[in-house]
Amino acid sequence: APSSPSSPIANEPKYEKRWLDTLSVPLSMARISRYKAGTDKLRSNAFEVLALDGVSTGILQFYTAQESADWLRAISTNISDLTLQNMKMANKCCSPSDQVIHMGWVNERLEGTDSSQLYKFKFLALKGSSFYIFSAPPVSTLDWVRAEKIYNLCEVLFKIHKLWLADDCWLQANLYLGIHQDFDLEDQRPYCFSVMVGHGKSHYFNVELGSELAVWEKSFQRAIFLEVQRTGSKTYMCSWQGDTLCFTVDFALGFTCFDSKTKNVLWRFKFSQLKGSSDDGKTKVKLLFQNLDTKQIETK
């Protein structure tokens, strides 16, 4: 707004300076992108914010890395706080065993694509007994059954891909800053983790900030622990030495194999007796147990 006249008339209203919005982007369920489109290269002192409905701020360019870091930290904190509010609202309608532990945006690396289409935005959620992968955030109760993928938390394996410096110090310097160097990774993106979901298949994800990576690691640990406690044990049909049997993994007692018809227990071992395991990546699993009496290794 223009400045006040040099000699204002007493009875006339004075001009006032005020903010004029050229664009308003809601931060609830919004996501941040620090990478140049179609590449693994971080933008220099710049990032983009995209709202739930796809509205973008455009590329926000800053004069210094510190300014970019400050704004990135402030915006990501607001998004996290709003996500937490959404989780609390969703949990009011859920039973204690079906609570949302964590959810948020990630980038998933696509399989069998060229270098210009490495990653795609996905929305992940840890809720109750399941790990969800969405193409868009769930905003209603019905959306939870429309996930692209749903996996049982007792049957997934979380692995964090940490980035280490030569002196074995965890790289904190570019936690928020747009510092980019060449590292020996599967690709050029830091802050990655994978989730193995069975039969050797994995989903490989990348997050924008180091702080997000730490939250996902902690959240997966908590969600899996709670589900293991709730489940107690899981039983699977299998074959052993040509017979159809039931194989039970009891998270408190260990492993048990029994006849599916007579229910007679054929063998039972504690977790402490498991000395090794391997599989063919398809259907066969080999378990090596130590017999407490003979101290010999038995193969099952």
Side-chain angles (χ1 to χ4, degrees):
S3 60
S4 302
S6 57
S7 299
I9 300 175
N11 295 329
E12 291 185 0
K14 294 182 179 181
Y15 291 104
E16 294 182 0
K17 294 181 180 180
R18 62 188 184 275
W19 292 101
L20 297 177
D21 292 339
T22 57
L23 179 66
S24 178
V25 178
L27 292 182
S28 180
M29 298 292 190
R31 60 185 187 267
I32 296 173
S33 176
R34 301 169 64 203
Y35 291 89
K36 295 180 180 179
T39 73
D40 282 330
K41 296 187 179 299
L42 285 167
R43 298 183 184 278
S44 178
N45 305 339
F47 58 87
E48 180 182 13
V49 182
L50 298 100
L52 177 60
D53 58 3
V55 174
S56 169
T57 58
I59 306 304
L60 303 175
Q61 185 72 50
F62 299 89
Y63 288 104
T64 66
Q66 186 60 54
E67 287 179 334
S68 176
D70 291 342
W71 276 105
L72 187 62
R73 182 184 297 109
I75 294 174
S76 63
T77 299
N78 275 22
I79 292 175
S80 297
D81 291 344
L82 291 169
T83 300
L84 184 59
Q85 290 180 23
N86 289 327
M87 287 168 48
K88 289 180 178 178
M89 291 178 61
N91 286 337
K92 289 181 180 179
C93 303
C94 300
S95 65
S97 62
D98 197 33
Q99 299 283 291
V100 180
I101 300 298
H102 186 58
M103 60 184 185
W105 285 102
V106 300
N107 302 291
E108 180 175 18
R109 188 173 65 186
L110 304 180
E111 296 181 0
T113 57
D114 58 31
S115 58
S116 65
Q117 296 293 331
L118 285 177
Y119 286 85
K120 186 175 182 179
F121 278 115
K122 297 289 183 179
F123 192 86
L124 308 185
L126 300 171
K127 181 176 183 288
S129 63
S130 302
F131 164 50
Y132 296 81
I133 301 177
F134 296 92
S135 58
V139 294
S140 69
T141 303
L142 292 177
D143 288 340
W144 287 96
V145 300
R146 298 171 182 165
E148 291 184 352
K149 301 287 184 180
I150 303 177
Y151 300 103
N152 187 287
L153 283 169
C154 286
E155 299 173 352
V156 303
L157 179 64
F158 177 89
K159 180 181 179 181
I160 194 170
H161 298 265
K162 289 187 177 179
L163 185 60
W164 296 90
L165 293 173
D167 60 357
D168 291 332
C169 293
W170 170 235
L171 184 60
Q172 296 287 354
N174 65 337
L175 183 63
Y176 292 102
L177 302 180
I179 299 173
H180 179 65
Q181 303 176 42
D182 292 327
F183 296 94
D184 185 19
L185 298 171
E186 293 187 38
D187 49 45
Q188 294 301 312
R189 295 194 179 203
Y191 314 134
C192 297
F193 66 91
S194 60
V195 182
M196 185 176 291
V197 295
H199 299 289
K201 182 180 179 181
S202 292
H203 292 275
Y204 190 88
F205 303 106
N206 155 259
V207 290
E208 300 287 333
L209 305 173
S211 56
E212 294 178 310
L213 184 64
V215 172
W216 276 113
E217 180 180 28
K218 183 178 179 180
S219 298
F220 262 94
Q221 290 174 348
R222 182 187 173 199
I224 292 174
F225 174 76
L226 290 174
E227 180 55 20
V228 165
Q229 275 194 323
R230 284 192 294 263
T231 302
S233 67
K234 292 185 73 69
T235 299
Y236 304 88
M237 296 296 295
C238 67
S239 62
W240 181 64
Q241 295 183 350
D243 297 324
T244 300
L245 305 174
C246 292
F247 177 68
T248 297
V249 181
D250 187 297
F251 298 120
L253 302 177
F255 307 91
T256 303
C257 200
F258 59 91
D259 190 284
S260 58
K261 296 180 180 178
T262 64
K263 307 301 180 183
N264 291 331
V265 175
L266 302 179
W267 49 264
R268 178 182 285 121
F269 294 95
K270 298 178 181 179
F271 283 110
S272 59
Q273 293 176 265
L274 181 65
K275 300 304 178 182
S277 64
S278 62
D279 64 84
D280 64 355
K282 298 177 181 179
T283 59
K284 294 183 179 179
V285 176
K286 180 186 291 185
L287 302 173
L288 304 178
F289 296 105
Q290 184 178 45
N291 188 300
L292 295 179
D293 296 325
T294 64
K295 304 301 180 182
Q296 298 297 312
I297 300 297
E298 298 183 16
T299 302
K300 304 296 183 185

